[in-house]
Amino acid sequence: MSEAAAGRDLVALPRAAVLMLWTAAYFRGDLGPDDAAEMSHGVGRSGPSGEGEDLFAWMTALRRLPLAQLRLVLPVPGRIAGLVGPPAALPAALEAEQAIVVTAAGIADHTLVPVLSRIDHPGGGMTAVGWERFDAPMGTHVPPAATSGSAREELLRVLRRVADGSIDLDLVPDEPVESARIPPTWISTALPRHVDAGAAHLLVLAARTLLLTRSEIDEGHAQTIHLAEALARRGLLDELHDAARAALVEAVERIAGESD
């Protein structure tokens, strides 16, 4: 682990978010592109697959784009706002549930999507990640990032409603999420040293809430008996999941924007 990450707590985040955070640290001059590329693979049994985009070359090439900006997209079926073409980029981003859209002076340049593979060996297995690049159709405009702070307030509002309500949700976002609930498309990382305490808290809160609500939605609730209760519970989970996803995107993009 580099000096930039030493002594910092780990947080599980989508791999695209981790890459954006460490690219921002490189843009700030806090570390070189080789260290930033290494840190983007996170902590644990994970590493580069050797296929797709070389992150060192990708980061240094971003310096040559005019007014380059990185946009995090966490798409789900029916909610793909922020994604740009070509058409092949859409199913890839939906499968990974994440993508980075790179813009130059407000015009989409390309989309980067993580592609995972499992490597097994006698000592255990590891997840290898490569990054597939999709060049955007020429002249595609991307709206400015929404960093007004409203996503944070909405997440806190829904969390308060959950805490005060009568619907039982197994959510404790102020405690670490157990590893079984972290999908391979996410990875644990230290946070770059320029991330302040407030931004770090929002990242952790949003990420944990997103993981926990996803797990609850996937697993269902065996104690729910009545249909009305089940529908109310699912509606609240969906609302909280959407709020956490928006807050996570807002937090990552704000941190990345501070490197400009």
Side-chain angles (χ1 to χ4, degrees), residues 212-221 233-234 237-239 241:
L212 292 170
T213 52
R214 169 183 172 149
S215 180
E216 285 279 298
I217 290 170
D218 290 345
E219 295 173 4
H221 191 53
R233 180 178 180 277
R234 177 57 189 265
L237 280 171
D238 287 341
E239 184 180 358
H241 189 76

Side-chain angles (χ1 to χ4, degrees), residues 31 48 55 78 96 104 108 115 145 192 221:
L31 72 174
L55 292 184
V115 179
H221 191 53

Side-chain angles (χ1 to χ4, degrees), residues 114-125:
V115 179
L116 307 183
S117 56
R118 178 74 177 175
I119 300 177
D120 294 311
H121 51 80

Side-chain angles (χ1 to χ4, degrees), residues 79-181:
R79 301 197 176 188
I80 60 173
L83 288 177
V84 298
L90 302 183
L94 280 169
E95 181 177 358
E97 298 183 340
Q98 58 193 286
I100 296 174
V101 174
V102 179
T103 68
I107 306 297
D109 187 80
H110 66 274
T111 298
L112 208 62
V113 178
V115 179
L116 307 183
S117 56
R118 178 74 177 175
I119 300 177
D120 294 311
H121 51 80
M126 69 170 291
T127 299
V129 59
W131 292 87
E132 189 171 4
R133 173 176 173 147
F134 301 89
D135 290 331
M138 187 173 296
T140 303
H141 286 264
V142 179
T147 56
S148 65
S150 60
R152 174 185 180 275
E153 293 305 317
E154 177 64 15
L155 174 59
L156 295 177
R157 184 189 68 79
V158 181
L159 282 170
R160 284 193 295 268
R161 188 149 63 85
V162 169
D164 296 339
S166 59
I167 298 176
D168 180 28
L169 297 182
D170 184 20
L171 305 176
V172 189
D174 55 346
E175 294 182 4
V177 178
E178 57 266 33
S179 58
R181 292 193 177 196

Side-chain angles (χ1 to χ4, degrees), residues 36-48:
E38 180 181 353
M39 294 301 296
S40 72
H41 294 294
V43 177
R45 303 191 63 81
S46 180

